[in-house]
Amino acid sequence: MTDALLPNGIKDGGGDNSYFKKGCNPFAQTGRSKLQNTRASLNQQIIRQMRMRAGAENLLKATSNNKVKEMVLLELSYVNANLQLLMSQLEGLNSSVEVYQSSQELANIPLIALGLKETKEVDFSAPFKDFILEHYSEDGKNFEDEIADLMDLRQACRTPSRSEAGVELLAKYYSHLPLIESRFFPPTRQTGIFFTWYDSFTGVPLCQQNLSLEKASILFNMAALYSQIGTRANRQTVAGLEEAVASFQKAAGVLNHLKETFTHTPSYDMSPAMLSMLIRLMLAQAQECLFEKMALPGIRNQFYSLMKMAQEAAKVSEIYDQVHQCMIQTPVKDNVPFFWSTMSQIKANHYRSMAHYFVASALLDHQLGPSDDEDQQEKTLSQVYDCLPDGHTPLEILKNKDERQRIGKAHIRRAILGHEEALRIYNLCKHINKLDVLQEILKASHQRSLDKYSENENEEEFADYMEAPDIISKTEHKAEMEVPGTTKVKVIDFFQRLGPLSVFSAKQRWTAPRTVRVHSEDRDLGFTLKGDSPVQVVSLDPLCAAAADGVKEGDYIIAVGDTECKWMGVSDVMRLLKDVDEEGIDIQVVSMMESNPPTKSATFCGNLPKTYSMICLAYNDDDKNSKSRKVAKKSSFLSWGLKNKMKSASTLSLPTADNSSNRSSSHNNDSALY
């Protein structure tokens, strides 16, 4: 599967100048694409059967006719049987690990990859165009390219390539979602856009009108993609093993981020219990790859090396045993593939047996010689056991050849029994039976332990079947969760032409744009400006021409003449207004509308906190007639000009002449309070 560049020439703001990439060709005849297409088909069949079951159950509740009830019950039995069959087929897809393995993978135990969640197509066109017209008072047809780019990006995310480019594609869409949510999803009502995602394990569809499900599902697919990258890595090389370790650690990190961020996702595959199990599984596979990396150059047949590798193998076994325990607990066990729990159980037994084999080899093949460091070997052996066999001290075991032989053979017997148990479990799952490479590895390990036991078997010796003690797990390189930086990438808002998101968002409400003619009288427009992108009208003179024409204090200027200035700062807008003459110039303004009734303590103007004045607080609550309220005098705008030393440094105004002598300095009417 190869990526294709987006043909429409729209560039993405992912930090480079390349077009954002499409997903893989959904019709590509590769093993992974065939499996994913089969998954999509099964999901459609499952939702069809679930609808039939829901209809039959509703009919069963509504009818009182016994004959109809019998027919409905018979139909329900067929539908439930079909559902069980479809879900078993979906479980088989989740058990198809061979398609995710590296083509060079011939000598390693297969690893488990997560399948991508499937989703339905979403058409943003009509809802977004309507919302742009209704909420932003702009023609939605002018944003058809942006809407098409968003839909193309989402469609590409359905078939991401199994590489870092595919992860980056998902990360870009994930980073766009908060911007889309702020633009088009108001908190007070639904937009009518439905997002449908299918459960990765059960195929059950889940549909929501908010973006929480969309965000969580994209994160899940990012983790799934990392797991697929990890299983695809060539584990016959150090670089491939390092890639696998990093990928599984990143998968665990993304899943943990999903678990902590979206705590109430109703989809079963993203429930806290399931995510906890998946995190353990990813870390177990990372630890397994770390063990393989240490063993790749070959394990030296030396006492310290064998003991070290024994504890490393015991650590892998311990983690897989914890994974298996999670998988068999309610509610995870109800839907986790039997293949997965069986595989984790096999690996727990296999690596535990390997640990016993390494300890047996260290005790049977190496004797404490005069040139050996007794203290170091004694310390090493004491760290392997939590409880020494038969109360012996480590030094006694090392110096006594017969005791070393006895304990070594006890370990090799446990290794043989463990490998036999792994082979027995292997035969219990029909999906695992297809993994010939796993069977070959288990049989070879079993035979190696049998050969080691035969080499040290003495027919004349009295059989002492002591129980070998457990081996303490220990690792020098523990697999840790790693949250990749790609979960948060910098992108450019598709709909930035609507204006700065801090102001022009779905949660804010404005009046429709108003065209106002402003004039300059002695280079005085009658108001000052503040803010940055977009600028706001402040300190409005209620007697100026702009106020008479409809400008209000707190209005946002969105255009000056033919120039749109939503993204302009104060200095840029002032530059457009500096040459205004007596004929004036048209500006477009919008006024913020209160979403909720203001309280007496505070309100919001232009998204900036602004407390009520003392005049407002002095109002008598019993006096409902606003016309009878008396207010204090307010100085005119003109008397406030450049000579005012208390002028805010954050505001700018056009240069004004001191014409206060030509105008009234106070106004005792309602218009003076704007």
Side-chain angles (χ1 to χ4, degrees):
M1 296 182 179
T2 58
D3 285 335
L5 294 179
L6 190 69
N8 65 0
I10 300 298
K11 295 185 178 181
D12 192 307
D16 53 25
N17 293 324
S18 61
Y19 304 136
F20 68 77
K21 295 183 177 181
K22 284 189 173 182
C24 299
N25 180 5
F27 302 105
Q29 295 301 304
T30 65
R32 193 174 71 108
S33 64
K34 288 180 181 179
L35 186 146
Q36 204 64 34
N37 289 334
T38 305
R39 183 190 299 276
S41 176
L42 282 176
N43 288 333
Q44 293 298 321
Q45 295 179 55
I46 287 174
I47 191 173
R48 191 180 304 114
Q49 294 296 323
M50 292 188 69
R51 287 172 177 169
M52 292 177 63
R53 184 173 68 176
E57 289 174 347
N58 291 335
L59 180 58
L60 193 62
K61 294 176 183 178
T63 185
S64 58
N65 190 310
N66 291 332
K67 188 173 182 180
V68 172
K69 284 186 176 182
E70 290 179 2
M71 294 176 62
V72 172
L73 288 172
L74 181 61
E75 183 65 25
L76 268 176
S77 65
Y78 282 119
V79 171
N80 287 328
N82 288 335
L83 271 175
Q84 291 297 325
L85 180 61
L86 292 172
M87 289 184 177
S88 66
Q89 293 177 16
L90 187 60
E91 180 183 353
L93 292 183
N94 289 325
S95 304
S96 302
V97 298
E98 62 273 9
V99 300
Y100 296 112
Q101 310 303 312
S102 169
S103 57
Q104 294 86 11
E105 203 64 65
L106 299 174
N108 295 92
I109 298 178
L111 299 172
I112 295 174
L114 302 180
L116 298 176
K117 288 174 67 70
E118 283 289 332
T119 182
K120 285 185 175 181
E121 292 186 13
V122 176
D123 188 355
F124 296 105
S125 299
F128 278 13
K129 288 180 183 178
D130 292 345
F131 192 83
I132 289 172
L133 179 61
E134 171 199 347
H135 190 78
Y136 295 99
S137 301
E138 296 198 33
D139 189 354
K141 293 181 180 179
N142 296 333
F143 293 85
E144 287 181 346
D145 289 342
E146 287 86 346
I147 296 173
D149 289 335
L150 174 63
M151 293 175 62
D152 285 345
L153 180 58
R154 188 183 189 276
Q155 183 66 20
C157 288
R158 299 181 66 183
T159 55
S161 62
R162 189 170 43 165
S163 63
E164 285 293 337
V167 176
E168 183 182 358
L169 181 69
L170 293 176
K172 285 185 176 181
Y173 180 61
Y174 180 76
S175 297
H176 275 291
L177 288 178
L179 303 176
I180 299 301
E181 186 173 29
S182 298
R183 292 285 190 193
F184 298 103
F185 290 82
T188 55
R189 64 184 179 89
Q190 300 291 347
T191 59
I193 301 175
F194 291 89
F195 299 94
T196 302
W197 287 85
Y198 295 90
D199 193 291
S200 180
F201 296 104
T202 65
V204 175
L206 183 65
C207 185
Q208 287 188 354
Q209 290 195 65
N210 58 60
L211 280 173
S212 296
L213 177 63
E214 185 89 347
K215 294 176 185 176
S217 299
I218 291 295
L219 277 181
F220 185 93
N221 277 359
M222 286 179 65
L225 208 55
Y226 271 124
S227 72
Q228 294 179 14
I229 294 173
T231 55
R232 190 196 62 170
N234 182 7
R235 288 150 64 198
Q236 296 299 310
T237 64
V238 174
L241 285 167
E242 289 176 349
E243 181 187 13
V245 171
S247 298
F248 287 124
Q249 290 183 147
K250 290 176 181 178
V254 174
L255 290 170
N256 187 64
H257 178 63
L258 170 59
K259 177 185 174 184
E260 293 179 348
T261 307
F262 301 92
T263 55
H264 301 292
T265 305
S267 182
Y268 176 80
D269 53 0
M270 295 187 287
S271 64
M274 180 60 79
L275 290 176
S276 297
M277 184 277 293
L278 293 177
I279 292 169
R280 286 181 180 270
L281 175 62
M282 295 299 111
L283 291 178
Q285 296 190 140
Q287 194 68 50
E288 182 180 4
C289 292
L290 284 171
F291 173 81
E292 291 177 349
K293 180 183 174 183
M294 287 183 281
L296 185 63
I299 302 171
R300 294 177 58 193
N301 190 11
Q302 191 257 355
F303 183 83
Y304 300 110
S305 297
L306 290 169
M307 287 297 186
K308 174 185 174 182
M309 294 304 295
Q311 291 190 288
E312 293 283 354
K315 184 65 177 180
V316 178
S317 172
E318 179 185 63
I319 297 177
Y320 269 113
D321 189 56
Q322 294 171 357
V323 172
H324 179 254
Q325 292 303 316
C326 285
M327 289 181 177
I328 61 175
Q329 299 295 323
T330 305
V332 176
K333 69 175 183 179
D334 297 330
N335 294 101
V336 71
F338 181 61
F339 172 91
W340 289 18
S341 60
T342 305
M343 180 66 86
S344 61
Q345 195 175 9
I346 288 174
K347 290 188 177 184
N349 282 279
H350 173 69
Y351 285 104
R352 187 184 303 114
S353 301
M354 289 183 66
H356 285 289
Y357 176 83
F358 290 140
V359 172
S361 298
L363 293 175
L364 295 172
D365 298 347
H366 302 278
Q367 302 298 324
L368 186 61
S371 60
D372 294 329
D373 188 342
E374 290 186 4
D375 294 338
Q376 187 63 32
Q377 286 202 15
E378 181 182 12
K379 180 181 178 181
T380 301
L381 187 61
S382 64
Q383 293 175 346
V384 170
Y385 296 128
D386 188 24
C387 181
L388 290 169
D390 295 340
H392 293 293
T393 63
L395 193 58
E396 289 176 352
I397 296 174
L398 292 172
K399 289 185 175 181
N400 190 325
K401 180 179 179 181
D402 292 337
E403 196 62 31
R404 289 175 72 121
Q405 289 284 111
R406 190 167 73 94
I407 298 175
K409 286 196 287 187
H411 278 291
I412 205 66
R413 283 195 295 270
R414 282 199 66 175
I416 293 172
L417 291 175
H419 287 307
E420 290 175 349
E421 178 65 11
L423 285 167
R424 184 189 70 82
I425 298 171
Y426 171 86
N427 294 319
L428 295 178
C429 181
K430 63 178 181 179
H431 296 297
I432 288 186
N433 289 335
K434 302 175 184 177
L435 300 178
D436 296 333
V437 63
L438 175 59
Q439 185 180 33
E440 292 175 5
I441 293 172
L442 295 178
K443 286 184 176 180
S445 301
H446 181 236
Q447 187 60 47
R448 184 179 61 178
S449 296
L450 289 174
D451 294 341
K452 176 65 70 175
Y453 187 79
S454 300
E455 292 174 7
N456 294 273
E457 187 177 17
N458 188 351
E459 295 181 358
E460 298 179 358
E461 185 180 45
F462 177 73
D464 182 9
Y465 294 106
M466 65 168 290
E467 181 72 17
D470 292 332
I471 299 170
I472 297 176
S473 64
K474 182 182 177 182
T475 181
E476 295 181 355
H477 306 282
K478 184 180 179 181
E480 301 284 356
M481 290 183 293
E482 177 184 346
V483 179
T486 51
T487 55
K488 295 181 180 179
V489 297
K490 188 176 181 180
V491 295
I492 296 178
D493 184 7
F494 281 130
F495 300 91
Q496 60 179 336
R497 288 198 291 126
L498 290 172
L501 190 57
S502 59
V503 175
F504 297 97
S505 63
K507 67 180 180 180
Q508 307 284 6
R509 297 176 61 240
W510 317 269
T511 60
R514 308 187 307 279
T515 301
V516 179
R517 192 80 172 178
V518 295
H519 306 270
S520 174
E521 299 179 9
D522 296 330
R523 298 182 60 80
D524 181 8
L525 296 176
F527 57 84
T528 57
L529 304 176
K530 76 170 185 178
D532 189 20
S533 304
V535 298
Q536 242 182 323
V537 175
V538 294
S539 302
L540 176 70
D541 180 6
L543 296 181
C544 70
D549 206 15
V551 175
K552 301 177 182 179
E553 188 168 320
D555 281 355
Y556 289 96
I557 299 179
I558 61 173
V560 175
D562 296 330
T563 305
E564 187 177 280
C565 53
K566 290 180 180 178
W567 286 95
M568 289 186 180
V570 171
S571 59
D572 296 325
V573 177
M574 296 290 287
R575 195 176 299 113
L576 295 174
L577 294 173
K578 70 177 182 178
D579 296 327
V580 176
D581 52 19
E582 294 182 356
E583 294 182 1
I585 189 173
D586 289 335
I587 65 171
Q588 282 192 331
V589 297
V590 293
S591 300
M592 186 74 69
M593 299 171 62
E594 293 292 345
S595 300
N596 298 310
T599 62
K600 287 187 178 182
S601 59
T603 185
F604 280 85
C605 179
N607 209 26
L608 297 174
K610 178 179 178 182
T611 58
Y612 277 93
S613 66
M614 295 301 295
I615 298 172
C616 296
L617 295 178
Y619 284 159
N620 184 355
D621 289 340
D622 296 331
D623 186 4
K624 304 300 181 181
N625 187 0
S626 61
K627 294 183 180 180
S628 65
R629 294 171 180 167
K630 295 183 179 180
V631 298
K633 295 180 179 180
K634 179 182 178 182
S635 298
S636 71
F637 168 76
L638 297 176
S639 65
W640 176 86
L642 292 176
K643 295 181 180 180
N644 191 340
K645 302 301 182 181
M646 301 302 292
K647 180 179 177 181
S648 172
S650 63
T651 63
L652 292 175
S653 64
L654 291 173
T656 59
D658 188 5
N659 298 324
S660 59
S661 60
N662 298 327
R663 297 184 183 181
S664 175
S665 61
S666 63
H667 309 276
N668 189 12
N669 52 40
D670 288 342
S671 66
L673 279 182
Y674 207 93

